Amino acid sequence: MKSQFSFDPDLIARYDRPGPRYTSYPTAVQFHDGFTVDDYRAAAGRSEALSLYFHIPFCDTICFYCACNKIATKDRSKSEPYLEAMDHEMAMQAAIFNQGQPVEQLHWGGGTPTFLNHEQMRWLMKRTGEHFTLLDDDSGEYSIEIDPREVQSDTLAVLREIGFNRMSIGVQDLDEQVQRAVNRVQSAELTFGVMQQARDLGFRSVSLDLIYGLPHQTLDSFARTLDAVIAERPNRLSIFNYAHMPERFMPQRRIEAADLPAPQTKLDILQMAGDKLQDAGYVYIGMDHFALPDDELAQAQEQGHLYRNFQGYSTHAHCDLLGFGVSAIGSVGNTYAQNVKDLESYYAAIVQDRLPIERGLVLTRDDLIRRDLISELICQFRLDFDTFSRRWDIDTRDYFASELEALQPMQADGLLVIDDRGIQVTDPGRLLIRNICMVFDIYLDQAKARFSRVI
């Protein structure tokens, strides 16, 4: 069953509350510094394939809405020692994990990965191939986050040459007043020119990122942005909700709260966006994501093997994820591991020939069971009791008896249907899937972090 976007204002008003995005379960709030490199090593050696994530933290300019781990600098020379440190980290990780497994998935994120110059890009990919088994037949999912303002005339050709075949382009909004308010001035001509060049060079998938809830946005202004974007037919679209938390993210203090759209305007924008995209033929994947029906995400969901990790929705559930660079998170076997978040600590660990892991978690069997169940719901919008029971050698109805009881009010509200066969999330429930998953999160009441609102 293809995901449909269904917007019910009354239900949203009733269920809109802060909650995790479930890029992992347990969430990063549960990571702790008692986790050791030995815990990480113990999880190695079980993977069929690898997924590699490289965090490039540097940005030439700061976007005021940004909540990522980044370092604003005009000094391009800062990337050189950072790349050398990541090379050393790769060597240490490869000594643990590289048993010839193919790297099926690779992603450069940030920050701004295109902060690197072309020779540095070539060097980093070359060194990655010397440490790990990269696929040379273009069959892997090798993606990079692109800031069009950093793209030179031959940048995309270099990226294609070294193996990238997918990209996501940060857009956020095409309205100039909104762009000025968030310090991200980027013309539609520049954005769509980069997108077309990527297609001409054979990039298989181009995703555009938009944000609703930014200062000075209106229903009409965002509709104009969306119409222009839809006309270009990106393979995927992410439409994120801006969470204004200036007490946590310093750049957001440059945004005037009085300039933000009212809560009702944000809801109107979301409803309009979902309706427009569905009318244009996009499939609602879930959370913030839409895709064309022939895109791999939509196909994976249709076939029942969509997956979710720290980069969002994915099609590579069987891969162990290794993270490189400051703040990068890995998911290996029954563990999560996160690197230190500042450059000084990162370099200090590398110089001492130790992995720069700061905290992590060893998952219990109950964690693994709940992770699998939450993944099924947030990715496939359904759970088959018998299949899940066989997979984990449990009686699913009995194991989650209290949770199934707690779901009854949601069933009464039409968010889902529970019967003898399993759980089926309804169209209205898809937009509130985080609320449904929270019922199965045994750590939620312990969480001290402030999560973004579900809508």
Side-chain angles (χ1 to χ4, degrees), residues 35-44 93 97 322 332 335 337 355 357:
F35 181 86
T36 68
V37 172
D38 288 339
D39 294 325
Y40 188 61
R41 290 177 184 276
Q93 293 250 33
F97 291 99
L322 309 186
V332 175
T335 67
L355 288 174
I357 294 172

Side-chain angles (χ1 to χ4, degrees), residues 10-50:
D10 292 336
L11 283 176
I12 288 170
R14 196 178 315 156
Y15 283 97
D16 191 18
R17 55 169 287 197
R21 298 182 59 81
Y22 293 114
T23 52
S24 72
Y25 180 84
T27 67
V29 177
Q30 300 304 320
F31 296 1
H32 58 83
D33 58 13
F35 181 86
T36 68
V37 172
D38 288 339
D39 294 325
Y40 188 61
R41 290 177 184 276
R46 308 171 196 169
S47 58
E48 304 171 24
L50 296 176

Side-chain angles (χ1 to χ4, degrees), residues 208-228:
L208 299 188
D209 296 338
L210 302 177
I211 298 177
Y212 71 96
L214 294 177
H216 303 298
Q217 275 180 342
T218 67
L219 184 63
D220 288 341
S221 72
F222 200 77
R224 289 192 294 271
T225 287
L226 203 55
D227 286 340

Side-chain angles (χ1 to χ4, degrees), residues 121-145:
M121 292 173 180
R122 289 189 175 100
W123 183 86
L124 178 56
M125 190 65 84
K126 179 176 179 291
R127 294 298 293 161
T128 303
E130 290 171 357
H131 293 299
F132 298 97
T133 307
L134 295 180
L135 300 174
D136 58 7
D137 59 358
D138 209 31
S139 63
E141 184 177 297
Y142 292 1
S143 62
I144 181 170
E145 297 170 11

Side-chain angles (χ1 to χ4, degrees), residues 56 106-109 112-116 121 125 141-147 155-156 159-160 162 164-170 203 205 207:
I56 314 296
L106 180 147
H107 184 76
W108 289 5
T112 306
T114 41
F115 184 91
L116 305 179
M121 292 173 180
M125 190 65 84
E141 184 177 297
Y142 292 1
S143 62
I144 181 170
E145 297 170 11
I146 295 288
D147 181 344
T155 299
L156 299 190
L159 293 173
R160 191 73 184 95
I162 63 178
F164 287 103
N165 50 35
R166 290 167 175 79
M167 68 167 63
S168 62
I169 301 177
F203 280 81
S205 178
S207 174

Side-chain angles (χ1 to χ4, degrees), residues 10 12 19 68 80 97 131 137 278 292 299 322 326 394 446 448:
D10 292 336
I12 288 170
C68 300
E80 200 65 39
F97 291 99
H131 293 299
D137 59 358
Q278 190 161 267
L292 291 173
Q299 293 294 311
L322 309 186
V326 292
I394 60 173
Q446 306 170 19
K448 305 299 183 185

Side-chain angles (χ1 to χ4, degrees), residues 136-326:
D136 58 7
D137 59 358
D138 209 31
S139 63
E141 184 177 297
Y142 292 1
S143 62
I144 181 170
E145 297 170 11
I146 295 288
D147 181 344
R149 301 169 301 171
E150 291 275 351
V151 172
Q152 302 170 31
S153 61
D154 55 345
T155 299
L156 299 190
V158 170
L159 293 173
R160 191 73 184 95
E161 166 202 320
I162 63 178
F164 287 103
N165 50 35
R166 290 167 175 79
M167 68 167 63
S168 62
I169 301 177
V171 179
Q172 323 321 340
D173 197 305
L174 295 176
D175 184 272
E176 189 174 345
Q177 183 184 19
V178 175
Q179 291 181 349
R180 288 196 303 269
V182 298
N183 201 37
R184 173 95 182 208
V185 178
Q186 177 181 315
S187 71
E189 292 75 17
L190 175 61
T191 298
F192 298 144
V194 168
M195 183 175 169
Q196 186 57 51
Q197 186 185 9
R199 286 172 164 165
D200 293 342
L201 288 167
F203 280 81
R204 295 208 297 271
S205 178
V206 178
S207 174
L208 299 188
D209 296 338
L210 302 177
I211 298 177
Y212 71 96
L214 294 177
H216 303 298
Q217 275 180 342
T218 67
L219 184 63
D220 288 341
S221 72
F222 200 77
R224 289 192 294 271
T225 287
L226 203 55
D227 286 340
V229 164
I230 289 172
E232 300 297 324
R233 303 297 285 176
N235 304 83
R236 303 175 187 176
L237 267 169
S238 299
I239 304 182
F240 298 106
N241 171 24
Y242 172 62
H244 190 57
M245 298 189 231
E247 68 281 2
R248 289 184 58 191
F249 306 111
M250 189 175 296
Q252 293 187 0
R253 297 172 193 172
R254 304 287 295 276
I255 292 177
E256 295 290 339
D259 294 334
L260 298 173
Q264 185 57 51
T265 302
K266 288 183 67 175
L267 291 179
D268 292 342
I269 290 173
L270 177 60
Q271 181 175 13
M272 175 273 297
D275 290 343
K276 272 185 178 291
L277 288 168
Q278 190 161 267
D279 290 344
Y282 283 85
V283 175
Y284 177 53
I285 299 299
M287 299 286 288
D288 330 278
H289 289 65
F290 296 81
L292 291 173
D294 60 353
D295 184 82
E296 288 182 359
L297 284 185
Q299 293 294 311
Q301 188 173 64
E302 183 80 6
Q303 297 160 14
H305 55 77
L306 189 65
Y307 178 63
R308 188 164 172 80
N309 63 17
F310 297 103
Q311 281 80 60
Y313 286 105
S314 170
T315 59
H316 294 263
H318 61 288
C319 292
D320 272 340
L321 171 64
L322 309 186
F324 302 97
V326 292

Side-chain angles (χ1 to χ4, degrees), residues 217-446:
Q217 275 180 342
T218 67
L219 184 63
D220 288 341
S221 72
F222 200 77
R224 289 192 294 271
T225 287
L226 203 55
D227 286 340
V229 164
I230 289 172
E232 300 297 324
R233 303 297 285 176
N235 304 83
R236 303 175 187 176
L237 267 169
S238 299
I239 304 182
F240 298 106
N241 171 24
Y242 172 62
H244 190 57
M245 298 189 231
E247 68 281 2
R248 289 184 58 191
F249 306 111
M250 189 175 296
Q252 293 187 0
R253 297 172 193 172
R254 304 287 295 276
I255 292 177
E256 295 290 339
D259 294 334
L260 298 173
Q264 185 57 51
T265 302
K266 288 183 67 175
L267 291 179
D268 292 342
I269 290 173
L270 177 60
Q271 181 175 13
M272 175 273 297
D275 290 343
K276 272 185 178 291
L277 288 168
Q278 190 161 267
D279 290 344
Y282 283 85
V283 175
Y284 177 53
I285 299 299
M287 299 286 288
D288 330 278
H289 289 65
F290 296 81
L292 291 173
D294 60 353
D295 184 82
E296 288 182 359
L297 284 185
Q299 293 294 311
Q301 188 173 64
E302 183 80 6
Q303 297 160 14
H305 55 77
L306 189 65
Y307 178 63
R308 188 164 172 80
N309 63 17
F310 297 103
Q311 281 80 60
Y313 286 105
S314 170
T315 59
H316 294 263
H318 61 288
C319 292
D320 272 340
L321 171 64
L322 309 186
F324 302 97
V326 292
S327 76
I329 300 178
S331 175
V332 175
N334 66 334
T335 67
Y336 296 125
Q338 182 172 27
N339 282 352
V340 294
K341 297 178 182 178
D342 65 279
L343 273 183
E344 183 179 355
S345 300
Y346 181 70
Y347 289 150
I350 297 299
V351 167
Q352 296 170 22
D353 289 323
R354 60 182 175 84
L355 288 174
I357 294 172
E358 179 178 53
R359 61 189 194 129
L361 186 69
V362 178
L363 278 68
T364 66
R365 174 173 161 81
D366 180 68
D367 290 337
L368 294 169
I369 291 171
R370 291 175 185 273
R371 177 173 75 173
D372 190 23
L373 183 144
I374 287 172
S375 180
E376 286 288 311
L377 290 176
I378 208 165
C379 293
Q380 324 306 341
F381 294 115
R382 63 180 183 268
L383 181 76
D384 182 277
F385 287 153
D386 290 344
T387 300
F388 196 83
S389 295
R390 288 193 297 271
R391 186 185 306 162
W392 289 101
D393 192 25
I394 60 173
D395 182 326
T396 302
R397 301 168 189 80
D398 181 61
Y399 194 96
F400 292 109
S402 61
E403 288 84 356
L404 294 175
E405 180 64 28
L407 286 175
Q408 291 305 312
M410 292 186 180
Q411 178 165 235
D413 284 337
L415 301 187
L416 48 82
V417 175
I418 305 173
D419 58 24
D420 290 341
R421 293 173 298 176
I423 301 171
Q424 179 68 57
V425 179
T426 63
D427 287 350
R430 295 172 193 265
L431 200 58
L432 296 166
I433 189 61
R434 289 162 72 179
N435 299 77
I436 296 171
C437 292
M438 282 189 271
V439 172
F440 296 92
D441 185 344
I442 62 170
Y443 299 102
L444 194 60
D445 291 339
Q446 306 170 19

